[in-house]
């Protein structure tokens, strides 16, 4: 199983980090050991002093596919959920400056907290879906999938040219603006529309 993450997929988020807008989806991988499930806490590691939250809609792949056409991409996932792409921003900035890969900043243990999944048929239109993050009860991120640069189906078509998608693979589809640092003691709750999908404590 692999975790595929899309970067810079929301205009306002790309701008807040002074990144140019991508012409094709940018993706990177996290290993399976990055997953943090079932309300497990995240323990702040010693190697970073600036870990950020990025709240993202996650697709769960349900059948094997390669070179998937955009028009068929929707048949490759039924369930959607929320995840947090935890990012060691200090390490990532250093990697970017030196032109190095990002794994050290993106793939560490526990860097992919994942909530529950819901069948996409429960939502009227997954391409116009509000999702949000509360930290200690206060709204920090409030996005809508209609603001994605690349739709879920475009992402699947693009990524599957390079990587065979397998059952159970997860795709983190990018974060809206409002990313920021996590602190020990924080309590995170994330929602799709009004459904609470994910909860996590930072320890
Ligand atoms: Mg991200």
């Amino acid at each position: 199983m692999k975790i595929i993450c899309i970067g810079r997929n929301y205009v306002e988020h790309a701008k807040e980090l002074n990144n140019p807008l991508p012409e094709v989806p940018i993706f990177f991988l996290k290993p399976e050991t990055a997953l943090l499930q079932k309300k497990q806490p995240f323990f702040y590691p010693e190697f970073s002093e600036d870990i950020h939250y990025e709240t993202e809609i996650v697709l769960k792949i349900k059948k094997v596919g390669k070179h998937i056409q955009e028009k068929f991409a929707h048949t490759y996932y039924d369930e959607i959920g929320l995840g947090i792409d935890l990012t060691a921003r200090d390490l990532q900035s250093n990697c970017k400056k030196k032109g190095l890969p990002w794994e050290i900043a993106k793939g560490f243990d526990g860097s992919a907290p994942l909530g529950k999944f819901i069948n996409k048929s429960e939502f009227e239109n997954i391409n116009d879906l509000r999702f949000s993050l509360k930290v200690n009860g206060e709204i920090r991120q409030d996005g809508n999938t209609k603001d994605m640069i690349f739709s879920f189906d475009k992402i699947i078509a693009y990524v599957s040219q390079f990587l065979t998608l397998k059952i159970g693979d997860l795709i983190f589809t990018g974060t809206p603006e409002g990313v920021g640092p996590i602190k020990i003691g924080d309590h995170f709750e994330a929602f799709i529309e009004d459904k609470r999908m994910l909860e996590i404590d930072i320890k």
Side-chain angles (χ1 to χ4, degrees):
M1 176 276 203
K2 57 189 172 294
I3 306 168
I4 299 157
C5 302
I6 306 298
R8 303 176 194 169
N9 200 25
Y10 286 79
V11 174
E12 294 304 320
H13 169 64
K15 281 190 195 161
E16 76 183 343
L17 295 184
N18 294 317
N19 285 318
L21 297 183
E23 278 159 23
V24 293
I26 295 174
F27 71 88
F28 58 90
L29 302 177
K30 291 184 190 249
E32 197 171 345
T33 43
L35 274 186
L36 203 58
Q37 286 170 292
K38 302 191 173 76
K39 296 188 183 176
Q40 285 174 289
F42 176 76
F43 292 95
Y44 207 112
E46 283 179 3
F47 53 73
S48 174
E49 289 176 355
D50 193 24
I51 293 184
H52 280 205
Y53 56 81
E54 299 186 354
T55 311
E56 313 200 359
I57 299 276
V58 180
L59 313 177
K60 191 188 276 184
I61 296 298
K62 69 162 187 174
K63 60 181 182 183
V64 176
K66 187 169 172 66
H67 293 302
I68 298 164
Q69 290 181 47
E70 187 183 334
K71 64 180 174 188
F72 299 125
H74 67 100
T75 66
Y76 285 79
Y77 62 99
D78 281 335
E79 292 185 286
I80 64 170
L82 279 180
I84 301 191
D85 167 19
L86 289 176
T87 304
R89 197 71 75 201
D90 42 1
L91 301 185
Q92 189 196 29
S93 301
N94 198 32
C95 292
K96 281 187 186 171
K97 245 185 273 164
K98 295 181 177 165
L100 295 171
W102 291 2
E103 277 82 353
I104 193 174
K106 288 283 198 180
F108 51 86
D109 285 359
S111 62
L114 189 66
K116 61 178 179 182
F117 282 84
I118 291 190
N119 198 290
K120 64 186 179 187
S121 63
E122 292 197 28
F123 302 103
E124 214 169 285
N125 177 6
I126 58 166
N127 295 305
D128 182 1
L129 207 57
R130 194 172 161 216
F131 63 106
S132 59
L133 173 72
K134 281 183 183 172
V135 181
N136 306 325
E138 192 182 292
I139 293 265
R140 294 284 181 84
Q141 286 193 282
D142 191 358
N144 191 305
T145 56
K146 69 175 162 40
D147 299 321
M148 288 190 293
I149 299 171
F150 302 105
S151 67
F152 299 142
D153 295 349
K154 280 203 164 70
I155 290 168
I156 286 175
Y158 182 78
V159 171
S160 70
Q161 295 178 63
F162 305 94
L163 308 181
T164 299
L165 298 182
K166 296 181 75 174
I167 296 168
D169 284 353
L170 300 172
I171 305 182
F172 280 58
T173 56
T175 193
E177 75 269 29
V179 301
I182 66 170
K183 292 190 314 293
I184 291 171
D186 280 348
H187 179 67
F188 285 71
E189 296 166 285
F191 302 80
I192 298 182
E193 303 288 356
D194 294 324
K195 295 182 204 294
R196 185 163 61 191
M197 304 291 291
L198 178 150
E199 255 187 291
I200 180 174
D201 286 300
I202 310 300
K203 295 196 172 177

